[in-house]
Amino acid sequence: MIDKKYERMLLRRRFCKRVIFMILVFGLSFYASVLMFGDLKSTNVLQLIDLNRCPACYGVTVCPELYSNQILLESNYGWTKMFNAKNIYYGFTKSNNRRVVLKKLSHSWELKEFDSKLCKTWGLKENCKPTDLLSVKNADKKIKNLVKYNLSHPETEPRKGLVYCPYPYSIYSLLQPVFNNQLTKYASDVINIWTMLSINPEPIIIQVLPKSKGWPVPAFGGVCGRLELVAYEGEPLSSLMHVAWHRKLKFASKILAAAMDFTFKHDRFRFYLMDWSIDNIVANERDEVTFIDLEDVIVIDKHISPQKDLPHWYKRYSREFTGHGFTFSIHDLCKHHLSDHNLWAACYVLAGQENPLLYPIPNEVNVSRPHFDVLLNECLNGQDRFRTMPKLQQVISDMLADEKIVGFGAVR
Ligand SMILES: Nc1ncnc2c1ncn2[C@@H]1O[C@H](COP(=O)(O)OP(=O)(O)O)[C@@H](O)[C@H]1O
Ligand SMILES: [Mg+2]
């Protein structure tokens, strides 16, 4: 009897100890998150701008709107800020209630690191001010060095950001729209470009490929300090995997069209997107698809005269089997005037190994169109994706016109 009582007491004591331990652990981790991610006060748009870092910032085009409170943050970010290490904020326009996304384009610790190296990078005195950058002389060279790829020696470190191939000298032709096509280049604009290329070239790409001309990228609202403002373009495909299959088929059709556009549509450049994750492709209620993360892009200038270092320039490059998963070689992309990278990557989103958008294919579709799966596999593993792609697009557009698939009683 006494033994049992004692046992119960021991159990209770052990239980209490565990509860106290858990409360302590939770409390400590909470305190650590507050320390790491800042205070709990609500965030105001103006707190995100960091205008004092200019000209080492993205520019000032949308500052008037932000300073006159035309853009409001969606909700109190007090709590979400703690978990918002990606530095993405949602808001809306006061005038027409349009949803927008405010992006700092980098983690806070990366921005801090960038700032701490700024003076040294430019060979300025240790405690230099960002405005001292306005009088530097070697900005053009620094910009070319940032985007350049060494054709003779493949780089060993994985490359992030914008790579401009095959030769860096014509980078200003790409940047023309960012300078508003004006002839004189202001020092501050050049430093802004250098900063975006160093931190995240997304605002550059979105201006070179405007949504208004049909490119599947977010509508650009402008930049202010260390903030980019873009339109909210929908939900990521990663959170739409449960929707009806015929809707996914619509997304698929647009993803393939985008892959072809990024490869062929521009008069002068090709754009190979390097991050085709389903978190980076969003769809809106009209099933339009937008590529929202344009940080890692390889731009190819088609108008170059190949030198000795490019013996195979006029040959097409087809992705060779370089291992499982999403792998590619920047070196090969940069040495050929045309590669099938985007085509393969788009098919990988539809039918690859990680969360394939279109798998499993409904039975009815496999029975009525067995060649569809064959074409998807050909696109993933075959020799000639440029030939497979139009066939695949044709089958998909046939299916999208088929009432049995998209109409009443559509397959799920
Ligand atoms: N224009 C946009 N429209 C809708 N959602 C967006 C937009 N931009 C970013 N997002 C959301 O924010 C997330 C992170 O943005 P992203 O640019 O991909 O940053 P990261 O470099 O952290 O991946 C995306 O996965 C998406 O959910
Ligand atoms: Mg992303």
Side-chain angles (χ1 to χ4, degrees):
M1 190 69 182
I2 291 173
D3 269 3
K4 269 210 170 143
K5 246 191 190 168
Y6 184 68
E7 211 173 276
R8 233 181 282 152
M9 207 173 78
L10 263 183
L11 275 176
R12 214 180 298 148
R13 210 181 272 173
R14 211 177 288 163
F15 177 74
C16 284
K17 265 191 196 162
R18 273 193 197 153
V19 170
I20 291 171
F21 178 72
M22 271 160 66
I23 292 175
L24 263 175
V25 169
F26 180 77
L28 272 176
S29 56
F30 180 81
Y31 184 67
S33 338
V34 172
L35 277 183
M36 266 159 60
F37 300 119
D39 62 332
L40 284 176
K41 273 184 258 141
S42 68
T43 305
N44 173 302
V45 180
L46 302 183
Q47 280 173 280
L48 303 172
I49 294 175
D50 290 334
L51 206 59
N52 62 330
R53 302 313 304 165
C54 287
C57 68
Y58 314 141
V60 290
T61 53
V62 79
C63 289
E65 285 76 8
L66 295 182
Y67 274 96
S68 53
N69 279 332
Q70 294 303 304
I71 310 289
L72 303 170
L73 281 190
E74 206 148 74
S75 56
N76 189 329
Y77 269 86
W79 284 93
T80 42
K81 191 180 175 192
M82 267 178 49
F83 305 102
N84 195 1
K86 277 188 166 177
N87 269 324
I88 302 281
Y89 298 83
Y90 297 91
F92 55 93
T93 58
K94 206 177 187 179
S95 55
N96 55 5
N97 226 6
R98 185 158 180 199
R99 211 168 172 212
V100 293
V101 185
L102 299 139
K103 301 171 81 167
K104 298 208 69 173
L105 299 175
S106 194
H107 293 277
S108 301
W109 62 268
E110 288 168 317
L111 294 170
K112 263 190 199 146
E113 197 176 294
F114 171 81
D115 283 328
S116 69
K117 289 186 192 150
L118 198 61
C119 302
K120 200 168 167 213
T121 308
W122 288 93
L124 296 169
K125 58 182 190 300
E126 206 178 301
N127 55 348
C128 76
K129 295 189 293 297
T131 43
D132 295 341
L133 295 181
L134 291 172
S135 49
V136 294
K137 293 277 175 287
N138 48 351
D140 283 357
K141 194 161 173 228
K142 277 226 159 18
I143 286 179
K144 286 175 187 158
N145 273 340
L146 273 179
V147 298
K148 174 171 135 186
Y149 185 85
N150 191 337
L151 291 164
S152 322
H153 302 285
E155 299 192 9
T156 45
E157 293 277 301
R159 260 304 273 275
K160 300 275 288 166
L162 189 146
V163 178
Y164 185 82
C165 286
Y167 304 126
Y169 64 82
S170 60
I171 180 74
Y172 277 91
S173 306
L174 177 81
L175 298 173
Q176 206 58 24
V178 190
F179 287 109
N180 275 324
N181 299 313
Q182 67 209 5
L183 287 176
T184 43
K185 290 178 182 57
Y186 295 103
S188 58
D189 292 345
V190 176
I191 301 299
N192 291 162
I193 300 260
W194 173 81
T195 307
M196 289 186 272
L197 289 173
S198 307
I199 295 174
N200 187 330
E202 183 168 299
I204 296 177
I205 301 291
I206 297 183
Q207 288 175 85
V208 172
L209 304 176
K211 182 183 161 104
S212 58
K213 292 204 175 143
W215 292 98
V217 302
F220 182 61
V223 280
C224 179
R226 291 271 173 87
L227 206 57
E228 175 197 50
L229 179 84
V230 286
Y232 174 82
E233 302 289 357
E235 264 188 77
L237 295 189
S238 50
S239 55
L240 292 171
M241 296 303 269
H242 60 280
V243 304
W245 194 78
H246 68 87
R247 251 193 101 190
K248 293 195 202 171
L249 196 61
K250 278 194 205 169
F251 304 155
S253 151
K254 292 184 177 161
I255 290 171
L256 297 185
M260 293 295 271
D261 281 357
F262 287 128
T263 311
F264 292 109
K265 192 171 131 177
H266 199 285
D267 288 343
R268 172 141 186 198
F269 305 109
R270 301 192 202 283
F271 300 84
Y272 299 128
L273 270 52
M274 293 292 113
D275 195 351
W276 286 72
S277 141
I278 49 174
D279 289 325
N280 294 334
I281 306 175
V282 302
N284 63 14
E285 63 287 351
R286 277 170 279 137
D287 295 338
E288 289 158 343
V289 157
T290 305
F291 290 74
I292 51 98
D293 188 344
L294 300 163
E295 180 171 2
D296 297 320
V297 180
I298 294 176
V299 178
I300 304 287
D301 183 359
K302 295 186 274 181
H303 290 187
I304 55 114
S305 324
Q307 307 296 304
K308 279 208 194 84
D309 49 1
L310 292 175
H312 306 301
W313 177 247
Y314 291 111
K315 267 197 196 165
R316 284 181 192 176
Y317 172 69
S318 278
R319 181 186 182 270
E320 292 147 38
F321 187 75
T322 43
H324 284 288
F326 196 94
T327 45
F328 49 82
S329 149
I330 298 182
H331 195 64
D332 291 320
L333 298 183
C334 283
K335 289 189 125 181
H336 298 84
H337 86 294
L338 173 62
S339 305
D340 61 0
H341 170 79
N342 287 334
L343 280 58
W344 170 77
C347 289
Y348 193 84
V349 170
L350 309 196
Q353 290 152 340
E354 298 154 62
N355 293 321
L357 181 69
L358 293 179
Y359 285 162
I361 299 176
N363 264 341
E364 304 87 299
V365 175
N366 268 332
V367 171
S368 65
R369 289 175 173 84
H371 49 297
F372 177 51
D373 196 21
V374 175
L375 283 172
L376 281 173
N377 276 309
E378 235 171 67
C379 181
L380 274 179
N381 305 312
Q383 299 295 321
D384 192 347
R385 295 187 179 90
F386 295 107
R387 257 177 67 161
T388 309
M389 187 55 74
K391 293 187 202 165
L392 194 53
Q393 287 181 295
Q394 187 60 49
V395 184
I396 294 182
S397 80
D398 285 350
M399 282 197 274
L400 288 174
D402 184 343
E403 253 195 30
K404 278 195 232 103
I405 291 178
V406 291
F408 179 73
V411 281
R412 286 204 154 258

